[in-house]
Amino acid sequence: MRDANGDELGRPVAVGVRPADPPAVAAAAPRPWPVVLLTALGAWLAAIPLLIVVGMLLGDWISRSAGPYVVGLLVLAGAVVVLRSRSVPLFVEQLAVPALLVGGGSLGFGVFRDLPERAGALLLALLALGLALAIARDWLRVLFGALMAGLLGFALLGPRSFFFGRHGMDEAWLACHGLLLLWLAAMWWQARCRQDTAVLIESLAAGGLLVTLTGLAWLAGMSFLVGGTLGGGLVGEVARGVASDASRGHLAWAGMQGTSALLAALAAAWIARAWPLLRQLALLPVALVAVGLAWLLPTLGAVLLALAGTLLGQRWRLAAAAAVAAVWVVGSFYYVLAWPLAHKALLLVAAGAVLGALAWGLLRRATPAAPAQVSAPRLGPAAAWIAGATVLTLGVAGFAIWQKQDLIAHGQPVYVELAPVDPRSLMQGDFMRLNFRLPGEVWKLAPPGVVAKRPLVLARRDERGVARLIGPHSPGTPLAAGELVIELSPKNGGWTLVTDAWFFREGDGQRWEAAKYGEFRVASDGRALLVGMADAELKPILPLESP
């Protein structure tokens, strides 16, 4: 198979294979991977205290004057000599890997101290290229390629926008697309190089593409419910901050949308041109669905173009990484658009239905009719496993729904005082952030993950049904009249009462501002469910009826 220029699309795979080793090396017995792994672990454990001791002996000289450059160059030179040698012991060879990190880190400290950030990043990228030329190890070259892409992205993005400032989304989007353009140029150049150069480009480009795909997926924001699973720690807050940074509605955003749709169309045309089997009118809706999603998600088009390039180049591992990035970006549709959840779900279901119907039609057309005398094939074990898994999934979901319905119908009605924290979030529709008045002792409980069972909190209910939370309850302790226990739920590394948010329909926020109490249904064992909100007079707040 050939591309538009007549070059074989499989050539990158062919040239990506390392040349044959010399006879003396090829005859050597291979090292068992457990031995290599244990040796590497021992080398790292020996290198860390050694580096600490050296740092303490050299003192301030490392951080002053030319110290970082001298130490960095000497350590890097020693690591390169060791990694280029074929006769050193395995333990010494593994020591060279942390030495590369130390030498590069020392040089990076000096460069960013004495030069502008962009110039320093470009200089370090050239240093990584030189190390890749000097060390003929494919896996190290992939890491050097990833480092080069990160440094080039930093130089393109600029230090002020590196952590996504006011217009960081636009600049980061341009930086990622610049790296993708650089990868495409490298692939074009590789097809015209001799074998040793093509091998070098293959490894460096692989690392660079992985960084580019990671950046595009990161810019897309959170995917489906991943944002909730990250909790409220530093990682979760930064990730959700990036997810909400997209400044929609201006000219730059429209340009990003149009470019993304154009790149998705180019990816479809590229694949159709290389694979004649896909030049069918029936597959046109597939391309239209991809272009439509790319218009809604400005990073999807670049990911689809990278996926097309890796598929046509038979780079299957990179293609798998691009496919994962594409799925992640499509999943970010849940958060990116300020649409009602139902509308977003309907759009994704419609897109999936179109693709499923096309796949079904193509499979039926491709399957020849079975002769009359041949009986239909029997379902194999795989079909039985699929059917069993489907029944089990539906059974678990049905049982969970039945439990919630039973709790709503038979649980004790309890009201708990609350304080809304955040009345609106554009990323998940409208909701109130709830902050229940928990006793101080609750915050001293062991965090989630440390204890195997959820703790219980003791509550005392008055004649109106309003519960005052007293403190943690020890299982087995008898309850007095009017007392009950409520199970706490893990949230943001701590504990809360069932949930910390109450969702409602967009545009209905003013109605819920009067909420003063959360209405729960509590079972005898402490299981609880938040079923509604009530005002200061305990009157239920009802949602607006659908028109």
Side-chain angles (χ1 to χ4, degrees):
M1 187 180 299
R2 297 177 179 271
D3 60 13
N5 298 314
D7 296 314
E8 293 183 3
L9 292 171
R11 185 168 183 257
V13 176
V15 301
V17 179
R18 287 179 54 84
D21 290 329
V25 178
R31 295 164 173 170
W33 70 264
V35 175
V36 176
L37 180 61
L38 292 176
T39 306
L41 179 61
W44 277 89
L45 292 176
I48 292 174
L50 178 62
L51 294 173
I52 294 175
V53 171
V54 172
M56 295 175 62
L57 292 176
L58 295 178
D60 294 339
W61 181 77
I62 295 180
S63 60
R64 296 178 180 177
S65 185
Y69 301 102
V70 175
V71 173
L73 291 175
L74 288 177
V75 173
L76 284 179
V80 170
V81 170
V82 170
L83 290 172
R84 286 178 61 89
S85 176
R86 293 182 177 271
S87 58
V88 296
L90 178 59
F91 182 80
V92 178
E93 177 184 301
Q94 294 299 324
L95 281 175
V97 178
L100 283 176
L101 296 176
V102 173
S106 178
L107 274 179
F109 173 79
V111 167
F112 283 117
R113 182 194 64 184
D114 300 329
L115 294 178
E117 288 86 351
R118 292 179 188 267
L122 293 175
L123 181 60
L124 292 176
L126 290 177
L127 174 65
L129 177 59
L131 292 173
L133 290 171
I135 304 174
R137 304 290 178 93
D138 289 339
W139 67 275
L140 275 177
R141 285 175 169 177
V142 171
L143 296 179
F144 286 136
L147 177 62
M148 289 174 60
L151 292 170
L152 290 176
F154 177 83
L156 291 172
L157 182 59
R160 294 185 179 180
S161 298
F162 185 71
F163 293 105
F164 308 107
R166 180 178 180 183
H167 299 293
M169 172 67 178
D170 305 343
E171 297 172 3
W173 183 90
L174 289 173
C176 288
H177 283 69
L179 292 177
L180 179 64
L181 182 62
L182 184 62
W183 177 77
L184 293 172
M187 294 299 96
W188 176 84
W189 184 29
Q190 184 197 49
R192 290 155 179 80
C193 292
R194 61 183 187 181
Q195 183 174 355
D196 54 348
T197 304
V199 170
L200 172 65
I201 295 175
E202 182 70 21
S203 299
L204 292 177
L209 182 61
L210 290 175
V211 170
T212 303
L213 292 173
T214 302
L216 290 169
W218 178 265
L219 286 178
M222 284 295 96
S223 185
F224 291 114
L225 298 178
V226 177
T229 61
L230 290 177
L234 176 62
V235 176
E237 294 300 328
V238 171
R240 282 186 288 275
V242 173
S244 61
D245 190 65
S247 47
R248 297 173 290 276
H250 56 77
L251 184 61
W253 180 262
M256 289 189 287
Q257 287 183 304
T259 303
S260 179
L262 177 61
L263 292 179
L266 289 176
W270 192 5
I271 290 182
R273 185 176 183 181
W275 291 343
L277 182 63
L278 299 181
R279 300 174 193 169
Q280 302 182 37
L281 186 61
L283 293 177
L284 181 60
V286 178
L288 294 178
V289 168
V291 171
L293 290 176
W295 170 265
L296 298 173
L297 304 165
T299 61
L300 182 59
V303 175
L304 293 178
L305 188 62
L307 177 60
T310 52
L311 286 175
L312 296 179
Q314 302 181 34
R315 298 174 175 87
W316 306 122
R317 293 180 180 178
L318 291 177
V324 171
V327 172
W328 177 280
V329 174
V330 172
S332 70
F333 181 79
Y334 175 84
Y335 289 96
V336 169
L337 296 180
W339 291 7
L341 261 179
H343 295 177
K344 290 186 279 191
L346 285 175
L347 181 58
L348 290 179
V349 168
V354 170
L355 297 179
L358 288 172
W360 178 262
L362 291 174
L363 285 175
R364 293 196 62 179
R365 183 190 305 178
T367 304
Q373 66 275 14
V374 179
S375 60
R378 296 182 178 180
L379 296 178
W385 279 105
I386 293 174
T390 302
V391 172
L392 180 61
T393 302
L394 293 175
V396 171
F399 179 72
I401 294 173
W402 174 83
Q403 277 190 319
K404 297 295 188 295
Q405 294 292 342
D406 182 71
L407 183 57
I408 292 173
H410 301 99
Q412 302 181 56
V414 173
Y415 296 92
V416 179
E417 186 178 0
L418 56 87
V421 177
D422 184 6
R424 183 174 174 83
S425 170
L426 292 175
M427 301 312 299
Q428 302 183 52
D430 285 13
F431 75 93
M432 290 192 305
R433 182 74 67 183
L434 304 180
N435 181 24
F436 295 101
R437 302 186 186 280
L438 297 176
E441 292 83 357
V442 170
W443 307 112
K444 301 178 183 179
L445 294 174
V450 177
V451 293
K453 190 175 182 180
R454 295 185 178 186
L456 300 173
V457 62
L458 180 64
R460 184 173 290 115
R461 188 175 55 176
D462 62 16
E463 64 279 0
R464 298 190 306 161
V466 177
R468 182 171 63 89
L469 305 181
I470 300 174
H473 175 74
S474 300
T477 304
L479 300 176
E483 291 183 346
L484 69 158
V485 292
I486 305 177
E487 187 179 69
L488 297 176
S489 299
K491 190 68 177 181
N492 299 337
W495 300 101
T496 190
L497 205 64
V498 180
T499 181
D500 66 343
W502 172 258
F503 291 84
F504 48 83
R505 193 169 59 188
E506 293 183 11
D508 200 15
Q510 187 175 3
R511 172 181 297 268
W512 299 96
E513 291 178 358
K516 298 299 181 183
Y517 294 91
E519 183 181 355
F520 293 84
R521 293 292 184 271
V522 183
S524 58
D525 58 358
R527 291 181 297 110
L529 188 66
L530 181 64
V531 298
M533 293 286 137
D535 60 14
E537 304 298 327
L538 297 183
K539 294 180 179 179
I541 301 176
L542 302 177
L544 287 173
E545 295 183 0
S546 302

